[in-house]
Amino acid sequence: MDKRDTILRLRNARLEIGGTTLFSGLSMEARAGEIVLLAGRSGVGKSSLMHVISGYYPNEDAAVDCEQLEVAGHDLRGKSLLERTRYVRSVFQNARLSFAMATPYEEMLFCLENFCAPVHQMEERVMEQARACRIQPLLHREFALLSGGELQKIAFACASLVEAPLYLLDEPFANIDEESIPYFIERIKRWARKGKAVCVIDHRLDFWDWVDRWYLLDERGTLQIIGVPLSAADTESLKENGLVGDLPPKSAKPDWRYPQREVLRLQNVSIFVSPGEPLVREINVRLHEGEMAALIGASGAGKTSFFRALLKQCPFRGSIELLGRPLGKVKKKELYARVGLVFQDPSLQFMAVRVSEEIRISFPHLPEAARQEWMGRFHFDAVQDVSPWLISQGQQRRLAFLTMACGDKKILLVDEPTYGQDFQHACLIMTLLQGLCRRGLACIFASHDRRFVNQFAHQVMRIRDGRMEVLCHA
């Protein structure tokens, strides 16, 4: 396709969900061979705009009106979600929601079947993309046993199986380790070199300073073009929308002159996700009151499995002591009262049908005025009557974190705390976590974001080649 051709033409798009208008009058373009970034504050409607293009909207709850929506000259307005997949390939923010089968191998075959690929070519095409996306060892493992980063790599492979003029990528690296990101950026560049148009949603602007154009979706529901390199005015717009800024002060080191109570000790621990070979072996870690520890490692290294073992949800061998007691002797009720977990997929831990009710359940003794203050601080004012399952991924992450920050917990395990967050909200979460630790909480947070690891962690633990090592300790 000629690189002068416009692949995506969107004119005067309007989206209304549950009677509330998210945006109206939005227009954007992407030409053949272009890579464009769509940025904006968490929860502002970026994923919703991509859903308008892909066909996920309209549905029973969402009304869409577009003056023009064309991809490669084809009018998509009357086409269903399934029909649009021939023109638009998508990688969802939460990759787990995009799979229908039990294993990656079955999913990739299913994708090809849906596009009526010749049966004799299917095996070869699956293996070709598995090699290209480096997922061969994952092909026959169940999705339920895979990490968020592994799922995102598989989503890339599925999107690459069948070509389309337009690719929509919603936070494609949110759960992928930073060492793997350059490889997948090169995959995206290859799509562009083949004349495809690529639209990326991301809060990590530093990954995309080389692309053709940025769009900023602001809180008023308007879309503006941001030039690259940035002008002073554009930098100020990004700052006003929470996308750039200065990191908070570095976490102060605990004063080890005064003994801190040890809350967690692991000695010669090995963790298993299947019988036989351990996923991680010989773990020796200590955690004290007031300490913030970062857990890092490649996608699939075993970070989430480590958290599950601490909650007796994953088999292990060796000694784990919680507050001086063997973990095996701690009853589940007491364990969950003392140890909190913010899931990698926060939607799995909600109980209420409204955001405000979820907060009310978590803070039953807090005055209503104080609960409203928390909702305002975390930008839940506009969605307090909305279901937790219908808000954005970034909002779900903040809500899950807030509900776990209550009670008399001694340890908080947070799986990817800044996932789905703009810079301002990421700093808010990490600063609140820092404040909790200053009051005696101990925390382990798993993260791929080196900025926050370097700024907040007193102790950095890395899983590599099946072993955990402590890189630094305050």
Side-chain angles (χ1 to χ4, degrees), residues 310-358:
L310 297 182
L311 292 169
K312 300 202 290 189
Q313 298 298 311
C314 191
F316 67 89
R317 282 206 305 255
S319 171
I320 300 179
E321 292 185 2
L322 175 66
L323 299 170
R325 295 170 57 197
L327 187 62
K329 295 184 178 180
V330 180
K331 294 183 178 180
K332 284 189 176 181
K333 183 177 180 179
E334 181 185 356
L335 175 63
Y336 299 152
R338 296 301 187 196
V339 182
L341 170 65
V342 179
F343 293 11
Q344 192 173 52
D345 182 353
S347 66
L348 300 176
Q349 64 189 84
F350 299 135
M351 297 182 291
V353 296
R354 292 183 178 86
V355 169
S356 58
E357 185 62 24
E358 191 75 36

Short mmCIF file of all heavy atoms in Angstrom, two decimals, residues 310-358:
data_model
loop_
_atom_site.label_atom_id
_atom_site.label_comp_id
_atom_site.label_asym_id
_atom_site.label_seq_id
_atom_site.Cartn_x
_atom_site.Cartn_y
_atom_site.Cartn_z
N LEU A 310 3.30 -17.32 49.06
CA LEU A 310 3.19 -16.66 50.36
C LEU A 310 1.77 -16.71 50.91
O LEU A 310 1.56 -16.58 52.12
CB LEU A 310 3.65 -15.21 50.26
CG LEU A 310 5.12 -14.98 49.87
CD1 LEU A 310 5.43 -13.49 49.85
CD2 LEU A 310 6.06 -15.71 50.81
N LEU A 311 0.79 -16.91 50.02
CA LEU A 311 -0.60 -17.02 50.43
C LEU A 311 -1.09 -18.47 50.42
O LEU A 311 -2.29 -18.73 50.45
CB LEU A 311 -1.48 -16.16 49.52
CG LEU A 311 -1.28 -14.65 49.67
CD1 LEU A 311 -1.97 -13.89 48.55
CD2 LEU A 311 -1.78 -14.17 51.02
N LYS A 312 -0.13 -19.40 50.34
CA LYS A 312 -0.44 -20.85 50.34
C LYS A 312 -1.33 -21.25 49.17
O LYS A 312 -2.12 -22.18 49.27
CB LYS A 312 -1.08 -21.27 51.68
CG LYS A 312 -0.18 -21.00 52.88
CD LYS A 312 -0.54 -21.85 54.09
CE LYS A 312 -1.85 -21.44 54.72
NZ LYS A 312 -2.09 -22.12 56.02
N GLN A 313 -1.18 -20.56 48.04
CA GLN A 313 -1.93 -20.88 46.84
C GLN A 313 -1.06 -21.55 45.79
O GLN A 313 -1.52 -21.82 44.68
CB GLN A 313 -2.55 -19.61 46.25
CG GLN A 313 -3.54 -18.91 47.16
CD GLN A 313 -4.73 -19.78 47.47
OE1 GLN A 313 -5.35 -20.37 46.59
NE2 GLN A 313 -5.06 -19.89 48.76
N CYS A 314 0.19 -21.80 46.12
CA CYS A 314 1.13 -22.41 45.18
C CYS A 314 2.05 -23.33 45.98
O CYS A 314 2.56 -22.93 47.04
CB CYS A 314 1.93 -21.30 44.48
SG CYS A 314 2.91 -21.85 43.07
N PRO A 315 2.29 -24.56 45.53
CA PRO A 315 3.12 -25.51 46.30
C PRO A 315 4.55 -25.00 46.46
O PRO A 315 5.11 -24.39 45.55
CB PRO A 315 3.08 -26.79 45.45
CG PRO A 315 1.89 -26.63 44.56
CD PRO A 315 1.75 -25.17 44.30
N PHE A 316 5.13 -25.26 47.62
CA PHE A 316 6.53 -24.88 47.85
C PHE A 316 7.18 -25.89 48.79
O PHE A 316 6.50 -26.61 49.52
CB PHE A 316 6.62 -23.46 48.43
CG PHE A 316 6.07 -23.31 49.81
CD1 PHE A 316 6.87 -23.52 50.94
CD2 PHE A 316 4.73 -22.96 50.02
CE1 PHE A 316 6.36 -23.38 52.22
CE2 PHE A 316 4.21 -22.81 51.30
CZ PHE A 316 5.02 -23.04 52.40
N ARG A 317 8.49 -25.88 48.76
CA ARG A 317 9.29 -26.64 49.73
C ARG A 317 10.22 -25.67 50.43
O ARG A 317 10.68 -24.68 49.83
CB ARG A 317 10.10 -27.74 49.03
CG ARG A 317 9.33 -28.96 48.67
CD ARG A 317 10.24 -30.19 48.58
NE ARG A 317 11.34 -29.98 47.65
CZ ARG A 317 11.41 -30.52 46.43
NH1 ARG A 317 10.43 -31.29 46.00
NH2 ARG A 317 12.45 -30.28 45.66
N GLY A 318 10.56 -25.94 51.68
CA GLY A 318 11.42 -25.06 52.43
C GLY A 318 10.66 -24.41 53.57
O GLY A 318 9.54 -24.80 53.90
N SER A 319 11.27 -23.40 54.17
CA SER A 319 10.71 -22.76 55.36
C SER A 319 10.25 -21.34 55.05
O SER A 319 11.04 -20.51 54.59
CB SER A 319 11.75 -22.73 56.48
OG SER A 319 11.31 -21.94 57.57
N ILE A 320 8.96 -21.07 55.30
CA ILE A 320 8.41 -19.72 55.22
C ILE A 320 7.81 -19.41 56.59
O ILE A 320 6.95 -20.15 57.08
CB ILE A 320 7.34 -19.58 54.14
CG1 ILE A 320 7.91 -19.92 52.75
CG2 ILE A 320 6.77 -18.15 54.13
CD1 ILE A 320 6.89 -19.81 51.62
N GLU A 321 8.27 -18.32 57.19
CA GLU A 321 7.75 -17.90 58.48
C GLU A 321 7.09 -16.54 58.35
O GLU A 321 7.66 -15.61 57.76
CB GLU A 321 8.87 -17.83 59.53
CG GLU A 321 9.44 -19.18 59.91
CD GLU A 321 10.46 -19.07 61.03
OE1 GLU A 321 10.68 -17.94 61.53
OE2 GLU A 321 11.05 -20.10 61.39
N LEU A 322 5.87 -16.44 58.87
CA LEU A 322 5.12 -15.19 58.89
C LEU A 322 4.99 -14.73 60.34
O LEU A 322 4.43 -15.46 61.17
CB LEU A 322 3.73 -15.38 58.28
CG LEU A 322 2.78 -14.19 58.32
CD1 LEU A 322 3.29 -13.06 57.45
CD2 LEU A 322 1.38 -14.61 57.89
N LEU A 323 5.57 -13.59 60.65
CA LEU A 323 5.55 -13.04 62.02
C LEU A 323 6.05 -14.06 63.02
O LEU A 323 5.51 -14.23 64.12
CB LEU A 323 4.13 -12.59 62.38
CG LEU A 323 3.53 -11.49 61.49
CD1 LEU A 323 2.05 -11.30 61.78
CD2 LEU A 323 4.30 -10.19 61.68
N GLY A 324 7.11 -14.79 62.61
CA GLY A 324 7.75 -15.75 63.50
C GLY A 324 7.11 -17.12 63.57
O GLY A 324 7.61 -17.98 64.29
N ARG A 325 6.04 -17.34 62.82
CA ARG A 325 5.34 -18.63 62.86
C ARG A 325 5.44 -19.31 61.50
O ARG A 325 5.37 -18.65 60.45
CB ARG A 325 3.87 -18.43 63.20
CG ARG A 325 3.63 -17.87 64.60
CD ARG A 325 2.18 -17.47 64.77
NE ARG A 325 1.27 -18.59 64.51
CZ ARG A 325 -0.03 -18.44 64.26
NH1 ARG A 325 -0.56 -17.22 64.24
NH2 ARG A 325 -0.79 -19.49 64.05
N PRO A 326 5.60 -20.65 61.48
CA PRO A 326 5.62 -21.36 60.20
C PRO A 326 4.33 -21.11 59.43
O PRO A 326 3.23 -21.15 60.00
CB PRO A 326 5.74 -22.83 60.61
CG PRO A 326 6.34 -22.79 61.98
CD PRO A 326 5.81 -21.54 62.63
N LEU A 327 4.46 -20.84 58.15
CA LEU A 327 3.29 -20.50 57.34
C LEU A 327 2.25 -21.61 57.36
O LEU A 327 1.04 -21.34 57.35
CB LEU A 327 3.73 -20.20 55.89
CG LEU A 327 2.66 -19.68 54.95
CD1 LEU A 327 2.12 -18.34 55.43
CD2 LEU A 327 3.21 -19.54 53.52
N GLY A 328 2.70 -22.85 57.43
CA GLY A 328 1.76 -23.97 57.43
C GLY A 328 0.85 -24.00 58.63
O GLY A 328 -0.22 -24.61 58.60
N LYS A 329 1.24 -23.32 59.73
CA LYS A 329 0.42 -23.31 60.94
C LYS A 329 -0.47 -22.08 61.04
O LYS A 329 -1.22 -21.93 62.01
CB LYS A 329 1.33 -23.38 62.17
CG LYS A 329 2.09 -24.71 62.28
CD LYS A 329 2.90 -24.79 63.57
CE LYS A 329 3.62 -26.13 63.67
NZ LYS A 329 4.40 -26.22 64.93
N VAL A 330 -0.38 -21.19 60.05
CA VAL A 330 -1.22 -19.98 60.05
C VAL A 330 -2.50 -20.29 59.30
O VAL A 330 -2.47 -20.65 58.11
CB VAL A 330 -0.49 -18.79 59.40
CG1 VAL A 330 -1.38 -17.55 59.41
CG2 VAL A 330 0.83 -18.51 60.11
N LYS A 331 -3.64 -20.16 59.97
CA LYS A 331 -4.91 -20.44 59.31
C LYS A 331 -5.22 -19.38 58.26
O LYS A 331 -4.78 -18.23 58.37
CB LYS A 331 -6.04 -20.49 60.35
CG LYS A 331 -5.90 -21.66 61.32
CD LYS A 331 -7.07 -21.72 62.30
CE LYS A 331 -6.95 -22.92 63.23
NZ LYS A 331 -8.08 -22.99 64.19
N LYS A 332 -5.99 -19.78 57.26
CA LYS A 332 -6.24 -18.89 56.13
C LYS A 332 -6.89 -17.57 56.55
O LYS A 332 -6.55 -16.50 56.03
CB LYS A 332 -7.13 -19.58 55.09
CG LYS A 332 -6.39 -20.61 54.25
CD LYS A 332 -7.24 -21.12 53.11
CE LYS A 332 -6.44 -22.07 52.22
NZ LYS A 332 -7.27 -22.56 51.07
N LYS A 333 -7.81 -17.63 57.49
CA LYS A 333 -8.49 -16.41 57.91
C LYS A 333 -7.49 -15.41 58.49
O LYS A 333 -7.53 -14.21 58.17
CB LYS A 333 -9.57 -16.74 58.95
CG LYS A 333 -10.37 -15.53 59.39
CD LYS A 333 -11.49 -15.93 60.36
CE LYS A 333 -12.30 -14.71 60.80
NZ LYS A 333 -13.39 -15.09 61.73
N GLU A 334 -6.58 -15.90 59.32
CA GLU A 334 -5.56 -15.03 59.89
C GLU A 334 -4.57 -14.58 58.82
O GLU A 334 -4.14 -13.42 58.80
CB GLU A 334 -4.82 -15.75 61.01
CG GLU A 334 -3.74 -14.89 61.66
CD GLU A 334 -2.92 -15.64 62.69
OE1 GLU A 334 -3.22 -16.82 62.96
OE2 GLU A 334 -1.96 -15.03 63.22
N LEU A 335 -4.22 -15.49 57.93
CA LEU A 335 -3.27 -15.17 56.86
C LEU A 335 -3.78 -14.01 56.02
O LEU A 335 -3.06 -13.03 55.76
CB LEU A 335 -3.03 -16.40 55.99
CG LEU A 335 -2.14 -16.22 54.76
CD1 LEU A 335 -0.73 -15.81 55.16
CD2 LEU A 335 -2.11 -17.51 53.93
N TYR A 336 -5.06 -14.09 55.58
CA TYR A 336 -5.61 -13.05 54.72
C TYR A 336 -5.88 -11.75 55.47
O TYR A 336 -5.97 -10.69 54.86
CB TYR A 336 -6.89 -13.55 54.05
CG TYR A 336 -6.68 -14.76 53.17
CD1 TYR A 336 -7.70 -15.67 52.95
CD2 TYR A 336 -5.45 -14.99 52.57
CE1 TYR A 336 -7.50 -16.79 52.15
CE2 TYR A 336 -5.24 -16.10 51.78
CZ TYR A 336 -6.27 -17.00 51.57
OH TYR A 336 -6.06 -18.09 50.78
N ALA A 337 -5.99 -11.85 56.80
CA ALA A 337 -6.13 -10.63 57.59
C ALA A 337 -4.80 -9.91 57.74
O ALA A 337 -4.77 -8.68 57.89
CB ALA A 337 -6.70 -10.97 58.97
N ARG A 338 -3.71 -10.66 57.69
CA ARG A 338 -2.37 -10.09 57.90
C ARG A 338 -1.66 -9.76 56.60
O ARG A 338 -0.78 -8.89 56.58
CB ARG A 338 -1.51 -11.06 58.71
CG ARG A 338 -2.01 -11.33 60.11
CD ARG A 338 -2.10 -10.05 60.90
NE ARG A 338 -2.42 -10.27 62.31
CZ ARG A 338 -2.84 -9.32 63.12
NH1 ARG A 338 -3.03 -8.10 62.65
NH2 ARG A 338 -3.11 -9.58 64.39
N VAL A 339 -1.99 -10.48 55.53
CA VAL A 339 -1.30 -10.30 54.26
C VAL A 339 -2.31 -9.91 53.19
O VAL A 339 -3.26 -10.65 52.93
CB VAL A 339 -0.55 -11.58 53.83
CG1 VAL A 339 0.21 -11.34 52.52
CG2 VAL A 339 0.41 -12.04 54.93
N GLY A 340 -2.13 -8.75 52.57
CA GLY A 340 -3.01 -8.30 51.50
C GLY A 340 -2.34 -8.49 50.15
O GLY A 340 -1.11 -8.45 50.03
N LEU A 341 -3.14 -8.71 49.12
CA LEU A 341 -2.62 -8.89 47.75
C LEU A 341 -3.44 -8.06 46.78
O LEU A 341 -4.67 -8.15 46.76
CB LEU A 341 -2.68 -10.37 47.35
CG LEU A 341 -2.40 -10.68 45.88
CD1 LEU A 341 -0.95 -10.34 45.53
CD2 LEU A 341 -2.68 -12.16 45.55
N VAL A 342 -2.76 -7.25 46.00
CA VAL A 342 -3.39 -6.58 44.86
C VAL A 342 -3.04 -7.40 43.63
O VAL A 342 -1.88 -7.48 43.23
CB VAL A 342 -2.89 -5.13 44.70
CG1 VAL A 342 -3.55 -4.47 43.49
CG2 VAL A 342 -3.21 -4.32 45.96
N PHE A 343 -4.06 -8.04 43.05
CA PHE A 343 -3.86 -8.98 41.95
C PHE A 343 -3.27 -8.27 40.73
O PHE A 343 -3.45 -7.08 40.52
CB PHE A 343 -5.18 -9.61 41.52
CG PHE A 343 -5.81 -10.52 42.53
CD1 PHE A 343 -5.36 -10.59 43.83
CD2 PHE A 343 -6.88 -11.31 42.16
CE1 PHE A 343 -5.96 -11.43 44.75
CE2 PHE A 343 -7.50 -12.15 43.07
CZ PHE A 343 -7.04 -12.21 44.37
N GLN A 344 -2.61 -9.07 39.88
CA GLN A 344 -2.16 -8.54 38.59
C GLN A 344 -3.37 -8.15 37.75
O GLN A 344 -3.36 -7.14 37.05
CB GLN A 344 -1.32 -9.58 37.86
CG GLN A 344 -0.57 -9.03 36.66
CD GLN A 344 0.38 -10.05 36.07
OE1 GLN A 344 -0.01 -11.18 35.78
NE2 GLN A 344 1.63 -9.66 35.89
N ASP A 345 -4.44 -8.92 37.84
CA ASP A 345 -5.71 -8.58 37.19
C ASP A 345 -6.66 -8.15 38.31
O ASP A 345 -7.29 -8.98 38.95
CB ASP A 345 -6.28 -9.78 36.44
CG ASP A 345 -7.58 -9.46 35.72
OD1 ASP A 345 -8.10 -8.33 35.90
OD2 ASP A 345 -8.09 -10.32 34.97
N PRO A 346 -6.79 -6.85 38.57
CA PRO A 346 -7.56 -6.39 39.73
C PRO A 346 -9.04 -6.69 39.65
O PRO A 346 -9.71 -6.73 40.69
CB PRO A 346 -7.31 -4.87 39.72
CG PRO A 346 -6.97 -4.53 38.32
CD PRO A 346 -6.23 -5.73 37.79
N SER A 347 -9.58 -6.93 38.46
CA SER A 347 -11.01 -7.18 38.34
C SER A 347 -11.43 -8.46 39.04
O SER A 347 -12.62 -8.69 39.28
CB SER A 347 -11.42 -7.24 36.85
OG SER A 347 -10.82 -8.34 36.21
N LEU A 348 -10.45 -9.32 39.38
CA LEU A 348 -10.76 -10.59 40.02
C LEU A 348 -11.06 -10.45 41.51
O LEU A 348 -11.48 -11.42 42.14
CB LEU A 348 -9.59 -11.57 39.83
CG LEU A 348 -9.22 -11.93 38.38
CD1 LEU A 348 -7.99 -12.82 38.36
CD2 LEU A 348 -10.39 -12.61 37.68
N GLN A 349 -10.86 -9.26 42.09
CA GLN A 349 -11.00 -9.15 43.54
C GLN A 349 -12.11 -8.22 43.99
O GLN A 349 -12.22 -7.92 45.18
CB GLN A 349 -9.66 -8.72 44.16
CG GLN A 349 -9.17 -7.35 43.78
CD GLN A 349 -7.74 -7.12 44.28
OE1 GLN A 349 -6.77 -7.49 43.65
NE2 GLN A 349 -7.63 -6.51 45.45
N PHE A 350 -12.96 -7.77 43.07
CA PHE A 350 -14.05 -6.88 43.47
C PHE A 350 -15.26 -7.67 43.95
O PHE A 350 -15.52 -8.78 43.50
CB PHE A 350 -14.46 -5.97 42.31
CG PHE A 350 -13.35 -5.07 41.82
CD1 PHE A 350 -13.09 -4.91 40.47
CD2 PHE A 350 -12.56 -4.39 42.73
CE1 PHE A 350 -12.08 -4.09 40.03
CE2 PHE A 350 -11.53 -3.57 42.30
CZ PHE A 350 -11.29 -3.42 40.95
N MET A 351 -16.03 -7.05 44.86
CA MET A 351 -17.20 -7.71 45.46
C MET A 351 -18.49 -6.93 45.26
O MET A 351 -19.57 -7.50 45.33
CB MET A 351 -16.96 -7.92 46.96
CG MET A 351 -15.80 -8.82 47.29
SD MET A 351 -15.62 -9.06 49.08
CE MET A 351 -15.10 -7.42 49.58
N ALA A 352 -18.41 -5.61 45.06
CA ALA A 352 -19.59 -4.76 45.01
C ALA A 352 -19.94 -4.40 43.57
O ALA A 352 -19.14 -4.55 42.65
CB ALA A 352 -19.37 -3.49 45.83
N VAL A 353 -21.17 -3.90 43.38
CA VAL A 353 -21.63 -3.55 42.04
C VAL A 353 -21.38 -2.08 41.71
O VAL A 353 -21.62 -1.66 40.59
CB VAL A 353 -23.13 -3.87 41.87
CG1 VAL A 353 -23.37 -5.36 41.99
CG2 VAL A 353 -23.98 -3.10 42.88
N ARG A 354 -20.91 -1.31 42.67
CA ARG A 354 -20.58 0.10 42.44
C ARG A 354 -19.23 0.42 43.09
O ARG A 354 -18.87 -0.17 44.11
CB ARG A 354 -21.65 1.04 43.02
CG ARG A 354 -22.99 0.99 42.32
CD ARG A 354 -23.96 2.01 42.92
NE ARG A 354 -25.24 2.00 42.22
CZ ARG A 354 -26.24 1.18 42.52
NH1 ARG A 354 -26.08 0.31 43.51
NH2 ARG A 354 -27.36 1.23 41.85
N VAL A 355 -18.53 1.36 42.48
CA VAL A 355 -17.23 1.77 43.01
C VAL A 355 -17.38 2.29 44.44
O VAL A 355 -16.61 1.92 45.34
CB VAL A 355 -16.60 2.85 42.11
CG1 VAL A 355 -15.38 3.48 42.79
CG2 VAL A 355 -16.21 2.26 40.76
N SER A 356 -18.39 3.13 44.68
CA SER A 356 -18.59 3.70 46.01
C SER A 356 -18.86 2.61 47.04
O SER A 356 -18.39 2.68 48.18
CB SER A 356 -19.73 4.72 46.00
OG SER A 356 -20.93 4.11 45.53
N GLU A 357 -19.60 1.58 46.65
CA GLU A 357 -19.92 0.49 47.57
C GLU A 357 -18.68 -0.35 47.86
O GLU A 357 -18.49 -0.83 48.98
CB GLU A 357 -21.03 -0.39 46.99
CG GLU A 357 -21.52 -1.49 47.91
CD GLU A 357 -22.15 -0.95 49.20
OE1 GLU A 357 -22.61 0.21 49.21
OE2 GLU A 357 -22.16 -1.70 50.19
N GLU A 358 -17.82 -0.53 46.86
CA GLU A 358 -16.58 -1.27 47.06
C GLU A 358 -15.72 -0.58 48.11
O GLU A 358 -15.14 -1.22 49.00
CB GLU A 358 -15.81 -1.37 45.73
CG GLU A 358 -14.64 -2.32 45.74
CD GLU A 358 -15.06 -3.78 45.71
OE1 GLU A 358 -16.06 -4.11 45.04
OE2 GLU A 358 -14.37 -4.59 46.37
#
